[in-house]
Amino acid sequence: MAANRTYIKSFCTIQNNQISLNGETVFGTEQTVFTDFSKKAYQFLEMNYPKFFKMDNLSKLAFLGAELLLRTKGESSKENNTALVFANKSSSLDTDVKYQNSISDTENYYPSPAVFVYTLPNICLGEISIKHQLKSENSFFIFADYNPEFMEKYSNILLKTQKADKVLCGWVEYYKEEYKAFLYVVDTKDELEHNQELLKKLYKH
């Protein structure tokens, strides 16, 4: 391994009712709403985590991507030092709007705590951390657009300062049925060199 270089160990994309892993489509459905697609993806991945069905759609999207990458590495059942660095554009706005509507509707006034808990975008990191026994650093940032420069620099700092052994990075955007998740694991050894040009290329596919 060249000094100070980092590498992309694996990556996945979820969009348009399809899931790809390392550039290969591994699951897809006909056009349907995200709720149906995520349920079928959950079944495809043979997950056994009933709390999944109580999550908001942003958390489900991030959770599916994390499951695919962390389970592939065989690390889902033991504690590990994998940091989480996520970002998106709309924060938790999709759930925020639903929660606000439950307050504004005077005839059906019911601001449920079960919905309120998801009015923070970083809640999805908590769901992933619980499932995969992660007690390392996690951060969720809001940007106007996908920001590979920031993600590259931030994850490299975590690895070089030994704050984490690996970093799961993710752009996870969901708002009104429009969604895209691009997640990848950064490591200090592998073959795909981690740099902004490659991140831009992989994000487009």
Side-chain angles (χ1 to χ4, degrees), residues 80-86 125 129 134-141 154-155 157-158 161-168:
N80 63 77
N81 189 26
T82 300
L84 304 176
V85 180
F86 279 40
L125 302 184
S129 296
L134 305 179
K135 298 179 181 178
S136 49
E137 170 149 341
N138 64 77
S139 301
F140 200 114
F141 299 92
Y154 197 95
S155 57
I157 288 172
L158 290 175
T161 58
Q162 299 183 332
K163 298 291 185 183
D165 297 330
K166 299 180 181 64
V167 183
L168 175 61

Side-chain angles (χ1 to χ4, degrees), residues 183-200:
L183 284 75
Y184 54 95
V185 176
V186 184
D187 201 342
T188 55
K189 54 186 178 182
D190 218 287
E191 297 181 359
L192 281 179
E193 186 172 346
H194 177 222
N195 56 58
Q196 294 175 40
E197 288 71 27
L198 180 59
L199 292 177
K200 290 176 184 176

Side-chain angles (χ1 to χ4, degrees), residues 1-2 12 14 18 21 45-46 52 67 87 91 97 99 101 117 137 149 154 163 176 184 188:
M1 182 194 77
C12 74
I14 304 174
Q18 288 194 331
L21 175 64
L45 293 172
E46 298 181 336
F52 177 84
E67 178 70 16
S91 184
V97 170
Y99 188 71
N101 289 341
V117 72
E137 170 149 341
E149 179 179 0
Y154 197 95
K163 298 291 185 183
K176 291 186 175 179
Y184 54 95
T188 55

Side-chain angles (χ1 to χ4, degrees), residues 100-111:
Q100 179 59 47
N101 289 341
S102 73
I103 297 174
S104 303
D105 188 346
T106 55
E107 294 183 0
N108 296 294
Y109 181 82
Y110 186 67

Side-chain angles (χ1 to χ4, degrees), residues 56 58-59 62 84 86-88 91-92 117-129 138-142:
D56 73 335
L58 176 63
S59 295
L84 304 176
F86 279 40
N88 76 358
S91 184
S92 55
V117 72
Y118 289 104
T119 56
L120 290 173
N122 62 331
I123 295 302
C124 65
L125 302 184
E127 301 284 11
I128 294 169
S129 296
N138 64 77
S139 301
F140 200 114
F141 299 92
I142 311 300

